[in-house]
Amino acid sequence: MKTISTAKSHGGVQGVYSHASEACACDMTFAVFVPPQAKDGPCPVVWYLSGLTCTHQNVMDKGEYRRLAAEFGLIVVCPDTSPRGESVPDEKDNWQFGCGAGFYLDATQAPFSTNYRMYSYITEELPALIAKEFPADMTRQAIFGHSMGGHGALTIALKDPERFKSCSAFAPITRPMVAGWSRPAFEKYLGTDEAAWRAYDAVALIEDGKRFPEFLVDQGSADGFLEDGLRPWLLDEACKAAGIPLKLNMREGYDHSYFFISTFMDDHLRWHAERLAK
Amino acid sequence: MKTISTAKSHGGVQGVYSHASEACACDMTFAVFVPPQAKDGPCPVVWYLSGLTCTHQNVMDKGEYRRLAAEFGLIVVCPDTSPRGESVPDEKDNWQFGCGAGFYLDATQAPFSTNYRMYSYITEELPALIAKEFPADMTRQAIFGHSMGGHGALTIALKDPERFKSCSAFAPITRPMVAGWSRPAFEKYLGTDEAAWRAYDAVALIEDGKRFPEFLVDQGSADGFLEDGLRPWLLDEACKAAGIPLKLNMREGYDHSYFFISTFMDDHLRWHAERLAK
């Protein structure tokens, strides 16, 4: 692991790091905030998965998570959203596919299956690195994210409920199998057999029997992606049918940006801190 | 005035606007946060002046000011740091002069005197526009800033103490007349007669009899610009000699970045809110 930068912030350290990823067959960059409490012992780990077009940097710059992470003693890990590099296949003019759009899945289709293995990266490789390199208590993990990253958080938590004490999302893509901006990506990454897509769709996972204790979701009512891309009511219906408590907050007048995310960041960090403390 | 963008945030509205500036003879862009309290009547105005290389956007993205501005009911205005545009003379490879480096002064030397009039812009033109276009209580204003913008805040407050209820700075350039990164700019903007520079130097202004009720300054001890560029001890000495209370907080391990600024943003907003409430 290589340290790209570190800066003291809110009594802790905001760092940016890179490493040669085996899962993604390229160098990967990620951000980690280590709170001041890490001096006294391992701290719980909160994973934040970012949305389409983002890198580790967007939430690090604009997410406003450090004040409460420092107060609650949370390590916050912010991975990139896809493999990157000259050898990584991409569609340069398509922001909904390729670099910046890994959708937190393991691609099975050539030429994408070599690098686009964000599911393995987030669930296996990066946790092992975090456990090795940071003062992390891996028995206490939480996960959240935004948009495509909300999809990532929900699906990863549903498939591994033992790993996470809590899960939440800002404006998640609840049904990527059928949403206009993710269907073409799923086909290219996973092939045309939609049965294989269900492992990366929160609503389908719940329909297929996966469970998580409870979810928190915040969604802006003025979000331009609400009707076609996000549709939190589909998650609401699936959770109701499955008996999963979902706290879904529709936020009047808020859009899809970090101005929205940063407004409700405190609520989400409190949600996770309470559950990580148990 | 043209609205470039607006987004709801922390119950208020973060907007970006532009207008044809007479003072700077070019279009100027600025950011304004209007808190939710503005629905019930005019709100006090806090001016944030940014540092070298910045636009209105850096603090808007990374300053983390909206949560407490919304709590305290403060309008926060974040201007650009210089004139910009194809007709504006610049030194493209010099980040310490020209675009992004207006130093909050009125240039007197050709070819810079046509556009580089940030002092008039910040003290006259933009306040008039804010008063006209926003629900602003112009009888209650405060000013702060970072680095070059800290210099701007200190010097503008010292020359117009009646306008501002309070003034603070993050890592301000306290003595730009003699600092390595500002001396060449002062010479190009103001000419070789250093007597004319004293109107834009906080320490010189205090030596020359200008006064302000009190200052708050936060400075990181790991700031790479501390020794040559910033030197808060010079301000401390000048304030002591003049009987101006200066609360100077040296912050162990913090650098010059927004990771530092955002850490202490709350303290500064509280400082201003308390004084604006009087």
Side-chain angles (χ1 to χ4, degrees), chain A residues 210-223:
Chain A
K210 299 293 185 188
R211 294 294 180 266
F212 198 80
E214 55 181 338
F215 294 119
L216 166 67
V217 169
D218 276 85
Q219 171 65 58
S221 72
D223 186 325

Side-chain angles (χ1 to χ4, degrees), chain B residues 10 26 64 71 86 100 129 147 157 229 237 239 243:
Chain B
H10 290 277
C26 66
E64 306 194 10
E71 184 177 325
E86 285 187 15
L129 188 69
S147 195
E237 287 162 16
C239 283

Side-chain angles (χ1 to χ4, degrees), chain B:
Chain B
M1 188 180 82
K2 196 173 86 178
T3 300
I4 294 175
S5 65
T6 61
K8 190 169 176 182
S9 192
H10 290 277
V13 176
Q14 178 65 64
V16 178
Y17 309 90
S18 72
H19 68 125
S21 164
E22 202 172 309
C24 296
C26 66
D27 285 347
M28 293 290 283
T29 302
F30 59 96
V32 179
F33 177 71
V34 176
Q37 292 86 342
K39 289 187 215 87
D40 306 319
C43 293
V45 179
V46 181
W47 295 81
Y48 179 91
L49 305 184
S50 293
L52 286 165
T53 76
C54 290
T55 68
H56 66 282
Q57 194 174 348
N58 304 66
V59 69
M60 182 179 83
D61 285 350
K62 300 190 278 191
E64 306 194 10
Y65 58 77
R66 281 176 292 274
R67 186 180 56 87
L68 280 195
E71 184 177 325
F72 296 142
L74 307 174
I75 290 174
V76 181
V77 181
C78 306
D80 203 347
T81 55
S82 77
R84 293 181 195 271
E86 285 187 15
S87 65
V88 174
D90 189 19
E91 295 182 4
K92 296 280 179 215
D93 298 327
N94 185 356
W95 61 277
Q96 299 172 350
F97 183 77
C99 290
F103 279 98
Y104 304 102
L105 51 73
D106 281 354
T108 56
Q109 306 299 300
F112 308 109
S113 52
T114 304
N115 303 103
Y116 287 84
R117 302 185 66 242
M118 288 300 291
Y119 185 76
S120 291
Y121 180 70
I122 298 292
T123 61
E124 294 172 21
E125 187 177 21
L126 192 53
L129 188 69
I130 297 296
K132 179 168 168 271
E133 300 281 357
F134 294 89
D137 176 0
M138 302 302 280
T139 68
R140 291 186 292 159
Q141 295 184 62
I143 191 163
F144 69 151
H146 171 235
S147 195
M148 178 182 74
H151 141 74
L154 294 169
T155 54
I156 288 170
L158 280 163
K159 284 186 277 190
D160 197 358
E162 297 300 314
R163 179 178 160 198
F164 300 103
K165 303 277 188 198
S166 53
C167 174
S168 76
F170 302 102
I173 304 177
T174 63
R175 199 84 173 90
M177 285 179 65
V178 297
W181 56 3
S182 40
R183 268 191 69 84
F186 272 41
E187 189 166 325
K188 279 181 266 194
Y189 287 136
L190 300 171
T192 52
D193 179 4
E194 296 192 18
W197 302 10
R198 299 182 67 82
Y200 301 108
D201 182 294
V203 169
L205 283 166
I206 293 168
E207 287 173 356
D208 293 347
K210 299 292 183 188
R211 293 294 180 265
F212 197 79
E214 55 183 337
F215 294 120
L216 166 66
V217 169
D218 276 84
Q219 171 64 58
S221 73
D223 186 325
F225 302 109
L226 180 58
E227 292 291 330
D228 178 60
L230 304 170
R231 293 186 281 191
W233 47 85
L234 299 179
L235 182 66
D236 196 38
E237 287 162 16
C239 283
K240 281 201 172 78
I244 299 173
L246 165 65
K247 186 169 160 59
L248 171 59
N249 300 311
M250 290 301 296
R251 301 297 188 176
E252 182 63 30
Y254 284 90
D255 66 16
H256 199 63
S257 73
Y258 273 94
F259 295 118
F260 155 66
I261 297 169
S262 61
T263 299
F264 300 103
M265 180 58 77
D266 285 9
D267 295 347
H268 283 242
L269 289 174
R270 281 200 185 89
W271 170 273
H272 294 296
E274 284 167 12
R275 284 152 184 83
L276 289 164
K278 282 175 189 169

Side-chain angles (χ1 to χ4, degrees), chain A residues 181-200:
Chain A
W181 57 1
S182 38
R183 267 192 70 84
F186 273 41
E187 190 167 326
K188 278 180 266 193
Y189 288 136
L190 300 171
T192 52
D193 179 5
E194 295 192 18
W197 303 9
R198 298 183 66 82
Y200 302 109

